[in-house]
Amino acid sequence: MHRRISLTRYLVEKQHNDGRIPPELRLLLEVVARACKRISLAVTKGALGEVLGSAESENVQGEVQKKLDIIANEVLIEANEWGGHLAAMASEEMDDIYVVPHRFPKGEYLLLFDPLDGSSNIDVNVSIGTIFSVLRKQNDDPQAVDPVSAADFLQAGNQQVAAGYCVYGPQTTLVLTVGDGVAMFTLDREQGSFVLTAEGLKIPEDTKEFAINMSNLRHWDAPVKRYIDECLQGKEGPRGKDFNMRWVASMVADVHRIMTRGGVFMYPWDKREPNKPGKLRLMYEANPMAWLIEQAGGCATDGRQRILDIQPTQLHQRVSVVLGSKNEVDRVTRYHNPL
Ligand code: P6P
């Protein structure tokens, strides 16, 4: 067991000892973690908190919003808007960016989040989570009419300065990177603080576990069908080993399993919506998860290119995702890019 280091102490040491993060970024990450604690409390209340069920509204994705989606979004906005560390926020649950109101001080950071990923699992008590990504506002033109716009958010994932997720499961666990590896913090509910429980996470380069929604098999492209078919053939097939399958349908939970024991997660393009590159969102799902996975020694592509190198053109654009154990992701990418 680690010497008991709180998230606050971990971030202070990153700031002072390593010079890794400036004070405003440390404040931002502490505020996001505090918001995740509040979301965790709302989630664990379940039916007792009258927070289950649909909000009878749709988000920009055309998906029915759950009450907890909206609660989580509001918690993150209210926690972060007054601190002076942000210029604006973007969320899966909001069509447009949220510019920090004039009455509050402004900062140089941009915060993006999926406030509650895995909503379809909320009402059935399966793990869900918050995903967040931090960018730095690039152009600082004080004369600009609009101090910040959606265009400021359209930066490739390789520009992130921090990324993380919080999974609300049997434990509430915050997983974070600021670019020098991945650390994991478990919420001590008695103390009300996140405590460092693992750092320097490393994803095994090989795995026997894949995560994909098999019900979409008939809709996949040939390279994905080939990869999954070879896994299903087991030790008698070309892979020479048996595979296991897991699919939680909460990206946060599936990625956390991979972060903890390896595996490969896939949400590829499929022909149900041929004009969309995939289901998952680039800016606040794929980019933060891709950076975390790479920081832990894994790989993350859209089947053809590194996710973190994709230059976004729209705030809510989607992307295919293949991420996890390096040698498996490389294989899937090879199948998409035959020589
Ligand atoms: P499907 C949750 O809605 C989500 O965005 C991801 O968390 C998850 O991996 C995926 O969608 C599940 O999608 O089509 O299997 O329900």
Side-chain angles (χ1 to χ4, degrees), residues 138-248:
Q138 298 292 345
N139 67 329
D140 214 357
D141 174 2
Q143 308 305 325
V145 172
D146 291 330
V148 60
S149 69
D152 290 297
F153 285 80
L154 300 184
Q155 301 177 42
N158 56 37
Q159 296 299 304
Q160 293 174 100
V161 295
Y165 62 80
C166 192
V167 53
Y168 312 116
Q171 304 105 42
T172 288
T173 304
L174 180 73
V175 177
L176 173 67
T177 186
V178 292
D180 61 348
V182 179
M184 197 176 285
F185 303 84
T186 303
L187 181 61
D188 176 342
R189 291 192 186 282
E190 286 143 18
Q191 300 276 333
S193 60
F194 280 106
V195 177
L196 182 68
T197 43
E199 58 183 328
L201 273 67
K202 282 290 169 262
I203 298 170
E205 291 195 346
D206 293 300
T207 183
K208 295 180 179 178
E209 203 159 63
F210 67 85
I212 195 167
N213 182 338
M214 288 297 289
S215 70
N216 299 325
L217 187 149
R218 65 189 182 283
H219 304 305
W220 297 332
D221 233 350
V224 174
K225 285 182 179 175
R226 173 186 173 191
Y227 175 76
I228 295 296
D229 180 54
E230 289 178 354
C231 290
L232 295 175
Q233 289 181 50
K235 60 164 80 73
E236 292 77 33
R239 299 303 309 275
K241 62 182 182 180
D242 291 336
F243 281 77
N244 195 16
M245 195 206 94
R246 287 285 182 274
W247 187 250
V248 182

Side-chain angles (χ1 to χ4, degrees), residues 71-92:
I71 291 168
N73 193 64
E74 288 168 356
V75 166
L76 282 158
I77 295 287
E78 288 163 15
N80 281 285
E81 64 178 345
W82 49 266
H85 48 276
L86 287 182
M89 294 178 247
S91 165
E92 179 187 71

